[in-house]
Amino acid sequence: EAQVTQNPRYLITVTGKKLTVTCSQNMNHEYMSWYRQDPGLGLRQIYYSMNVEVTDKGDVPEGYKVSRKEKRNFPLILESPSPNQTSLYFCASSPRQGVSYNEQFFGPGTRLTVL
Amino acid sequence: GESVGLHLPTLSVQEGDNSIINCAYSNSASDYFIWYKQESGKGPQFIIDIRSNMDKRQGQRVTVLLNKTVKHLSLQIAATQPGDSAVYFCAENGFTGGGNKLTFGTGTQLKVEL
């Protein structure tokens, strides 16, 4: 089944404890992206990647890191999480870069709470 | 700055009625729009899209209308069903020179009353 998977789905952690949220897609998509969703603010892009070893900042990149060593994986890293990073996170992928008319496929989401 | 937004945060309709969800955008250079549906506990799912060279596009029970003059987008759902209850987002897909960037509105909660 074609899908985007995220792990973990739920995570409660404490301030300053490094964590990684994994994202994997099995559709051979070139483009991948991370969003956070907060009440009243909708979905905001954190980072995106156009292909392996190519990443760039989205609208709200502060406090996050990403890597794209393989085409299928795009982990989101929080080196020192803070309570304002408590949010619902979505990973998404789409088949081609450089073409604007593409649907993005979303993962199921990761609910992160930072105490 | 540029923004994509929604007029109403919540819309309640009776089962069987038609629903209309509205979206305003401010970037006149936007050339592609998508409607997503997000059910509770799930990620957004693609419903329908429209390019700026079109005024209307129809899918199964859904129609998207684009009015470029007033920069307004709407999603019409015919014969609304309980399974249509969800949050609906419009999104502007802009080509940034390197890839796809989606800018989302804040969403409208659609509630279907039996």
Side-chain angles (χ1 to χ4, degrees), chain B residues 61-73:
Chain B
R61 281 201 309 118
V62 294
T63 301
V64 56
L65 299 177
L66 176 62
N67 186 331
K68 294 180 287 294
T69 301
V70 296
K71 288 182 277 191
H72 183 268
L73 192 69

Side-chain angles (χ1 to χ4, degrees), chain A residues 9 31 35 37 40 42-43 45 50 59 90 94 96-104 106-108, chain B residues 31-32 34 36 38 41-44 46 51 89 93-96 98-102 104-106:
Chain A
R9 294 290 313 279
Y31 184 87
Y35 296 87
Q37 185 175 32
L43 284 143
Q45 190 178 50
M50 296 179 291
D59 297 319
F90 289 100
S94 65
R96 290 178 291 174
Q97 58 124 2
V99 178
S100 64
Y101 306 131
N102 274 315
E103 170 189 351
Q104 290 199 18
F106 283 82
Chain B
D31 63 352
Y32 179 54
I34 309 173
Y36 281 89
Q38 186 177 20
K42 296 183 180 180
F46 173 90
R51 302 184 184 188
F89 295 93
N93 193 18
F95 177 53
T96 62
N100 300 328
K101 176 179 171 61
L102 281 179
F104 286 82
T106 53

